[in-house]
Amino acid sequence: MTTLSFQAKVPVFDANVGVGHRHDRISPFENATELLAEMERHGVGRALIYHVQGERLSTLDGNNWLEPWIKGNPELYPQWVVGATADGLDQLRQLHTEGKVTNVRLHNTIECRVPFVDWIYGELLEWLSVQRIPLWVSLADTPPVEIMETLRRYPDLVTVLIGAHYTHSLMVRPLLRYLPNAHLELSRYENLRNLLKLKEEFGPERFVYGSFYPRYAMGPMLFSIHHLGLNQSELMAFCSGNLERILGDQKK
């Protein structure tokens, strides 16, 4: 009788993990200890985490509630959520002044019913560009047309496009082509044959592993990446190196 087992062959840095309870969704884990145990089970050494309450109801509360998760847990890196409000940008600027901001995540624009357009988010996007702070944007939670039309106005802004599904397959290539500083996070991108073609066209530096846990499981895409036929340097880039570069973090 055979058993199915998997162990990551390279250091893994998850680019997309949500923590805490949402008002309408209970988290499967209560605290950082339980999250770290789940990461260890999959061979994930580090994770970029955001508080899910910031996705829809309050970016201010979500960011405030993120602090206890990262305190004393160097494996967990903070990702601050921001929306269209002036007080959210003020909070982000204060966190940046305190040296805590290496990246930002856009809230769920569809659920918040605020279109991702320049005349609403322009001040935020201009500030992020000037400060050289990368932005995570969810293709699952923001219309791709709005992402393309808005981000093309900020060509120097480094972005990570998360949650791309196989239904986005026809959109991903133009997004990467017309947004030269965009990267594709792979949590839902099950079109593996197309992923290999994208890697050949754009190079391995445009892709990052993320799980979108707990919305999705932590292991399946990590397993798939390991079985794409990547060489060792490409696998390292996908699983941790590209994210380290985006965050400006060279720690191993």
Side-chain angles (χ1 to χ4, degrees), residues 174-222:
L175 282 164
L176 293 177
R177 184 173 60 187
Y178 289 112
L179 302 176
N181 280 311
H183 304 75
L184 186 68
E185 181 265 356
L186 301 172
S187 56
R188 308 176 67 221
Y189 201 67
E190 297 95 344
N191 190 343
L192 301 180
R193 181 173 295 181
N194 183 253
L195 176 57
L196 285 174
K197 292 180 180 179
L198 292 171
K199 188 265 295 185
E200 292 302 317
E201 180 174 357
F202 295 103
E205 65 273 7
R206 301 287 294 275
F207 306 94
V208 297
Y209 161 71
S211 65
F212 224 144
Y213 184 75
R215 191 184 295 198
Y216 306 105
M218 189 171 285
M221 187 49 66
L222 184 59

Side-chain angles (χ1 to χ4, degrees), residues 55-87:
E55 290 179 312
R56 179 177 179 183
L57 282 190
S58 173
T59 62
L60 297 177
D61 288 344
N63 290 337
N64 287 333
W65 296 342
L66 184 62
E67 296 272 5
W69 289 84
I70 59 177
K71 187 176 181 179
N73 296 303
E75 306 92 342
L76 304 179
Y77 291 60
Q79 180 171 79
W80 311 103
V81 184
V82 70
T85 63
D87 54 358

